[in-house]
């Protein structure tokens, strides 16, 4: 398990808010990843109210986490953080901070060390799944909520009762080929009409969430696409 890091200064990256991918439909809304790099602070309906909704079933032990691979400045801070940025870090490991949506936070609190997640490139020219990372440290307090200079500062969060959490992730590998959102959407529509593992995939049913739970069937099907020709 990597050592706990001090708060970073300077260039940030993480998941951002929730603007949404350029080719998503209205029903699949937009997301974006925010502040430091990834955790997209999903600004979806209900994000301002703490949800009591259970984050997932035992089958949901795989994840999809969105981050912006292209530069976008917010308050003078570059929100860029793609999978290549994670790969280039010491130990290829970093914290996934900046999540400011309750359900996305709840999903991170459910994550267990060793579980796998897709690294999804969001809010960019071609959104989609770029690679795989692993959860290497379970949920702990996101320090950025207390940093007044951070774009994810939350004045309503208190040190004795922090609202926001983060996890540590480690790069595993790139997919053999990038799997774009447009291709995933075609499979989703096919499966919705005729049955299949992607019929209820959160990427299309809860598109604004920057951290999403996947069933093992969804994860395995998407992973199998790297060995297939594009649809």
């Amino acid at each position: 398990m990597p050592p706990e890091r001090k708060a970073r200064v300077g260039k940030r990256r993480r998941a951002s808010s929730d603007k949404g991918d350029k080719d998503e439909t209205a029903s699949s809304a937009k997301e974006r990843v925010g502040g430091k790099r990834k955790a997209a602070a999903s600004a979806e309906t209900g994000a301002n109210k703490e949800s009591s909704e259970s984050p997932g079933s035992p089958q949901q032990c795989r994840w999809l986490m969105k981050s912006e691979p292209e530069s976008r400045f917010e308050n003078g801070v570059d929100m860029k953080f793609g999978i290549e940025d994670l790969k280039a870090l010491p130990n290829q490991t970093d914290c996934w901070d900046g999540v400011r949506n309750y359900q996305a936070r709840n999903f991170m609190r459910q994550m267990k060390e060793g579980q796998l997640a897709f690294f999804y490139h969001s809010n960019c020219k071609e959104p989609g799944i770029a690679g795989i990372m692993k959860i290497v440290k379970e949920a702990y307090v996101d320090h950025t909520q207390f940093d007044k200079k951070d774009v994810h500062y939350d004045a309503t969060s208190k040190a004795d009762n922090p609202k926001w959490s983060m996890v540590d992730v480690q790069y595993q590998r790139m997919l053999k080929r990038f799997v774009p959102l447009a291709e995933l959407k075609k499979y989703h529509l096919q499966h919705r009409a005729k049955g299949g593992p992607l019929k209820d995939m959160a990427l299309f049913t809860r598109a604004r969430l920057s951290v999403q739970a996947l069933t093992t069937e969804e994860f395995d099907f998407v992973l199998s696409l790297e060995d297939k020709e594009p649809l």
Side-chain angles (χ1 to χ4, degrees), residues 36-64:
K36 286 192 158 167
R37 12 149 211 169
K38 31 245 147 114
S42 316
E44 67 168 8
T45 303
N48 295 325
K49 296 181 180 179
E50 182 149 14
S51 171
S52 60
E53 182 178 349
S54 176
S57 70
Q59 285 185 316
Q60 291 174 316
C61 56
R62 300 288 184 269
W63 310 97
L64 181 149

Side-chain angles (χ1 to χ4, degrees), residues 128-139:
I129 296 173
I132 301 172
M133 53 192 179
K134 180 170 66 175
I135 309 305
V136 293
K137 184 174 181 180
E138 296 175 14

Side-chain angles (χ1 to χ4, degrees), residues 177-210:
R177 70 176 180 90
F178 183 82
V179 179
L181 173 65
E183 181 178 349
L184 293 170
K185 183 178 178 181
K186 290 178 182 178
Y187 280 109
H188 166 67
L189 293 175
Q190 286 183 3
H191 293 183
R192 191 172 64 178
K194 300 179 181 179
L198 301 194
K199 62 184 176 65
D200 296 319
M201 190 178 185
L203 187 60
F204 304 101
T205 62
R206 300 298 304 276
R208 295 181 71 160
L209 280 177
S210 64

Side-chain angles (χ1 to χ4, degrees), residues 3 12-13 17 46-47 71 79-80 96 103-104 111 134 157 182 195 227:
R12 302 253 150 121
R13 315 144 288 181
S17 350
S71 288
M79 314 302 268
K80 175 184 180 295
W96 199 271
Q103 189 175 14
M111 291 174 178
K134 180 170 66 175
S157 185
D227 293 314

Side-chain angles (χ1 to χ4, degrees), residues 25-216:
T25 62
S27 62
S28 60
K30 304 188 172 186
E31 66 68 22
R32 83 206 208 225
V33 265
K36 286 192 158 167
R37 12 149 211 169
K38 31 245 147 114
S42 316
E44 67 168 8
T45 303
N48 295 325
K49 296 181 180 179
E50 182 149 14
S51 171
S52 60
E53 182 178 349
S54 176
S57 70
Q59 285 185 316
Q60 291 174 316
C61 56
R62 300 288 184 269
W63 310 97
L64 181 149
M65 302 169 75
K66 300 179 180 180
S67 186
E68 299 179 14
E70 298 175 0
S71 288
R72 178 181 66 80
F73 288 87
E74 186 171 326
N75 297 333
V77 174
D78 192 352
M79 314 302 268
K80 175 184 180 295
F81 190 80
I83 193 168
E84 294 287 357
D85 296 302
L86 177 62
K87 184 179 180 180
L89 290 174
N91 299 319
Q92 300 181 322
T93 300
D94 204 1
C95 58
W96 199 271
D97 54 1
V99 170
R100 296 297 181 266
N101 171 276
Y102 286 112
Q103 189 175 14
R105 177 208 66 183
N106 290 346
F107 279 136
M108 289 202 302
R109 288 181 176 179
Q110 187 187 356
M111 291 174 178
K112 301 299 181 184
E113 184 178 341
Q115 290 180 341
L116 298 177
F118 284 130
F119 195 120
Y120 181 93
H121 281 175
S122 170
N123 196 29
C124 56
K125 184 176 180 180
E126 185 175 36
I129 296 173
I132 301 172
M133 53 192 179
K134 180 170 66 175
I135 309 305
V136 293
K137 184 174 181 180
E138 296 175 14
Y140 61 105
V141 175
D142 181 347
H143 58 265
T144 64
Q145 63 195 301
F146 305 121
D147 184 354
K148 293 182 179 180
K149 297 180 180 179
D150 194 282
V151 294
H152 293 300
Y153 172 66
D154 184 349
T156 67
S157 185
K158 306 303 178 186
D160 60 350
N161 186 27
K163 288 184 177 181
W164 308 111
S165 303
M166 60 186 180
V167 297
D168 284 1
V169 298
Q170 184 179 60
Y171 171 87
Q172 297 298 290
R173 67 176 180 88
M174 305 292 289
L175 291 191
K176 296 175 185 176
R177 70 176 180 90
F178 183 82
V179 179
L181 173 65
E183 181 178 349
L184 293 170
K185 183 178 178 181
K186 290 178 182 178
Y187 280 109
H188 166 67
L189 293 175
Q190 286 183 3
H191 293 183
R192 191 172 64 178
K194 300 179 181 179
L198 301 194
K199 62 184 176 65
D200 296 319
M201 190 178 185
L203 187 60
F204 304 101
T205 62
R206 300 298 304 276
R208 295 181 71 160
L209 280 177
S210 64
V211 178
Q212 302 177 359
L214 300 176
T215 64
T216 53

Side-chain angles (χ1 to χ4, degrees), residues 9-25:
V9 294
K11 187 174 180 180
R12 302 253 150 121
R13 315 144 288 181
R14 164 185 18 145
S16 82
S17 350
D18 265 270
K19 252 188 178 171
D21 297 324
K22 294 183 179 180
D23 55 331
E24 284 183 354
T25 62

